[in-house]
């Protein structure tokens, strides 16, 4: 399981790359492995606002459809349009070309509640027992 050190994580298996008040969001390597081959990704429109832990889209794989949850409250500033035609990028490059949305973070103080890479790995290991 790949868990880049520069990212933050959630217990819902999303990752965030935070630059100032903008966060790039996607699903983790662990999540895409569990889902299997991704065949469709449903994402919101730019400008939509979501509350923390609210569903903002879904990922459909050969195994299941899973909701994707907003890691922090915010407004969508950009959507990865590549995923409309190439949803497999979520599997091929979950931390690169498979990113999903960028958001303007509503409350930066909530960043401190996200999981560090080590905390996320521990969480996944405990859940898998």
């Amino acid at each position: 399981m790949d868990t880049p050190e520069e990212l933050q994580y959630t217990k819902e298996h999303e990752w965030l790359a935070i630059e100032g008040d903008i966060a790039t969001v996607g699903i983790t390597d662990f999540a895409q492995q569990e889902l299997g081959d991704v065949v469709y990704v449903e994402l919101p429109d730019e400008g939509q606002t979501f509350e923390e832990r609210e569903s903002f889209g879904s990922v459909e794989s050969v195994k299941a459809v899973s909701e994707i949850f907003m890691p922090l409250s915010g407004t969508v500033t950009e959507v990865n349009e590549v995923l409309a035609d190439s949803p497999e990028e979520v599997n091929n490059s979950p931390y690169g070309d498979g990113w999903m949305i960028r958001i303007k973070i509503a409350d930066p103080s909530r960043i401190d509640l996200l999981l560090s890479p080590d905390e996320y790995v521990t969480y996944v290991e405990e859940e898998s027992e």
Side-chain angles (χ1 to χ4, degrees):
M1 174 175 71
D2 186 22
T3 313
E5 286 293 317
E6 68 276 9
L7 303 177
Q8 300 289 309
Y9 299 87
T10 72
K11 289 183 177 180
E12 289 77 31
H13 307 287
E14 287 89 22
W15 60 263
L16 294 88
I18 299 170
E19 296 178 41
D21 63 352
I22 301 293
T24 302
V25 179
I27 65 169
T28 65
D29 185 44
F30 174 80
Q32 70 82 19
Q33 286 177 28
E34 291 291 300
L35 283 168
D37 293 338
V38 174
V39 295
Y40 180 74
V41 180
E42 179 182 69
L43 297 173
D45 295 324
E46 287 180 24
Q48 282 189 269
T49 299
F50 294 90
E51 295 299 316
E52 188 173 323
R53 295 195 179 100
E54 183 179 0
S55 173
F56 70 82
S58 62
V59 176
E60 183 177 340
S61 72
V62 293
K63 291 183 183 179
V65 176
S66 296
E67 288 186 274
I68 319 163
F69 297 96
M70 190 64 102
L72 298 168
S73 298
T75 303
V76 178
T77 61
E78 189 177 350
V79 175
N80 187 352
E81 301 293 345
V82 169
L83 298 182
D85 294 324
S86 301
E88 68 277 3
E89 288 304 322
V90 172
N91 297 115
N92 297 339
S93 181
Y95 302 115
D97 293 338
W99 67 273
M100 296 183 175
I101 60 172
R102 290 196 172 99
I103 61 169
K104 180 168 176 47
I105 301 167
D107 182 0
S109 71
R110 304 286 297 168
I111 294 169
D112 295 340
L113 301 177
L114 298 170
L115 300 176
S116 70
D118 289 341
E119 290 169 330
Y120 179 69
V121 168
T122 299
Y123 172 74
V124 169
E125 288 170 352
E126 289 172 355
E127 289 293 301
S128 299
E129 290 178 358

